[in-house]
Amino acid sequence: MSAHQRGTELDLSWISKVQVNQPAVLRRAEQIQARRPVKKEWQVAWLLKAVTFIDLTTLSGDDTSSNIQRLCYKAKYPIREDLLKALNMHGKGITTAAVCVYPARVCDAVRALKAAGCDIPVASVATGFPAGQTHLKTRLEEIRLAVEDGATEIDVVINRTLVLTGQWEALYDEIRQFRKACGEAHLKTILATGELGSLTNVYKASMIAMMAGSDFIKTSTGKETVNATFPVAIVMLRAIRDFFWKTGNKIGFKPAGGIRSAKDSLAWLSLIKEELGDEWLKPELFRIGASTLLADIERQIYHHVTGRYAAYHDLPMS
């Protein structure tokens, strides 16, 4: 990832009059979802590209050093070698974009990736993930400790209360402090859009997060009742586009939560391509937060290569 963005001064005039046209957003979302997916060789090429955008994630209470080790191995070797050879894609360095873990597991991930001899970044969630309802001092310390342990990307959660009560300056100040605590690490700001009440709030929170210095804005923790949806994504992507037009700064986008099928991943790539263009289709500006998506992508590639669907034992754990 390139150098992180420093943000801008808080300018509430940007967002004070914003009203999102919900029916228009919903129509656009339906349009995207109704598209026919690409087929055969084209589909495989897009699926391999999708792999390189995945933040391969495990955020479970029962995470141990051994399943973190397996996760990191899978991040380095996401698709079985013989399948890549059949597609003439072996040796092309296809890995996932990052691994994403809880702060207490960062050391395990850094150690496992070092042992595997690869430089895939380690992302850590922080700031009282997933609810963000802990003291600010604790949330900032959590970021600093994760960075000390070797995380180079930090996925923070915002305090949703500040959005719901319209405390935009307080939200800006908190994210500014997160940015500072990250040091040289990249800041991905999770808006938890399913808990923000309206699409207008999603747009405003996106803008504030970008002004405050976020390198990425991310839809969800994956723990809310409603996670990554197309209407929310369209609003966030339009905010990214507006911010780029106003400042010249390109901010990344990360949908997370509920993206489980290869078909889903193709729809997300298509959405980014249409809303922001090809220049956003790279891991520096687009990620997909997922834990089970990779298994389905590998299954589809296996089917394309062999002509049959994989049995459970045919593909290694992911």
Side-chain angles (χ1 to χ4, degrees):
M1 239 193 227
S2 53
H4 56 67
Q5 74 116 1
R6 300 284 170 191
T8 64
E9 293 296 313
L10 177 63
D11 183 355
L12 291 176
S13 67
W14 280 16
I15 62 168
S16 58
K17 296 184 180 69
V18 168
Q19 277 301 323
V20 171
N21 179 343
Q22 190 166 350
V25 170
L26 296 177
R27 271 197 307 276
R28 174 77 178 126
E30 279 169 20
Q31 207 180 25
I32 293 281
Q33 283 163 303
R35 294 273 155 83
R36 293 179 66 176
V38 288
K39 297 289 182 192
K40 304 214 169 144
E41 289 79 9
W42 290 104
Q43 187 181 72
V44 169
W46 276 86
L47 289 176
L48 287 174
K49 198 168 179 63
V51 168
T52 68
F53 297 134
I54 294 175
D55 280 359
L56 194 57
T57 302
T58 181
L59 295 167
S60 301
D62 57 0
D63 284 338
T64 62
S65 57
S66 59
N67 78 303
I68 298 293
Q69 208 171 349
R70 290 201 304 277
L71 183 87
C72 291
Y73 185 84
K74 191 66 185 169
K76 187 181 180 184
Y77 303 107
I79 306 294
R80 230 170 64 173
E81 189 70 9
D82 59 319
L83 300 177
L84 290 176
K85 274 184 180 154
L87 298 165
N88 202 22
M89 289 299 290
H90 60 294
K92 295 274 167 66
I94 291 175
T95 68
T96 66
V99 295
C100 184
V101 296
Y102 273 122
R105 302 266 71 95
V106 169
C107 282
D108 293 334
V110 169
R111 208 177 297 121
L113 289 167
K114 194 175 177 184
C118 72
D119 55 3
I120 297 170
V122 174
S124 171
V125 295
T127 65
F129 179 95
Q133 294 278 13
T134 53
H135 289 295
L136 180 59
K137 191 177 175 184
T138 316
R139 286 182 278 151
L140 292 169
E141 188 61 13
E142 202 172 27
I143 294 173
R144 285 190 280 266
L145 291 170
V147 172
E148 267 175 40
D149 286 346
T152 54
E153 301 178 7
I154 304 291
D155 289 33
V156 302
V157 287
I158 63 166
N159 180 345
R160 278 74 108 187
T161 309
L162 299 178
V163 175
L164 295 169
T165 53
Q167 297 180 66
W168 303 113
E169 284 180 48
L171 180 63
Y172 175 86
D173 290 340
E174 279 203 358
I175 299 172
R176 266 323 240 188
Q177 290 181 65
F178 296 163
R179 161 79 282 153
K180 193 176 172 191
C182 282
E184 290 309 305
H186 283 78
L187 173 65
K188 305 215 249 351
T189 300
I190 306 168
L191 303 180
T193 53
E195 296 175 351
L196 296 188
S198 71
L199 290 178
T200 299
N201 275 349
V202 169
Y203 183 92
K204 291 180 176 182
S206 299
M207 270 299 181
I208 296 288
M210 292 185 285
M211 287 180 201
S214 306
D215 297 296
F216 267 73
I217 51 175
K218 176 176 168 182
T219 59
S220 329
T221 62
K223 310 284 186 187
E224 294 98 66
T225 336
V226 178
N227 292 291
T229 67
F230 277 179
V232 153
I234 287 163
V235 171
M236 290 174 73
L237 293 171
R238 299 283 166 94
I240 288 172
R241 196 164 69 188
D242 292 348
F243 189 76
F244 174 61
W245 284 344
K246 284 183 166 82
T247 67
N249 294 342
K250 289 179 183 168
I251 308 301
F253 174 69
K254 178 178 171 180
I259 305 172
R260 295 191 181 91
S261 72
K263 189 181 171 189
D264 287 345
S265 71
L266 294 175
W268 283 98
L269 264 66
S270 174
L271 178 65
I272 300 302
K273 187 177 168 68
E274 291 194 23
E275 289 290 323
L276 295 174
D278 286 337
E279 56 194 309
W280 254 267
L281 277 176
K282 53 186 181 185
E284 291 80 14
L285 289 170
F286 178 55
R287 300 286 182 84
I288 298 171
S291 48
T292 57
L293 169 63
L294 181 56
D296 193 55
I297 290 179
E298 192 174 23
R299 208 173 288 121
Q300 298 305 324
I301 291 172
Y302 182 95
H303 180 259
H304 174 80
V305 169
T306 65
R308 60 189 178 86
Y309 282 105
Y312 183 75
H313 59 264
D314 284 328
L315 299 173
M317 190 290 304
S318 58

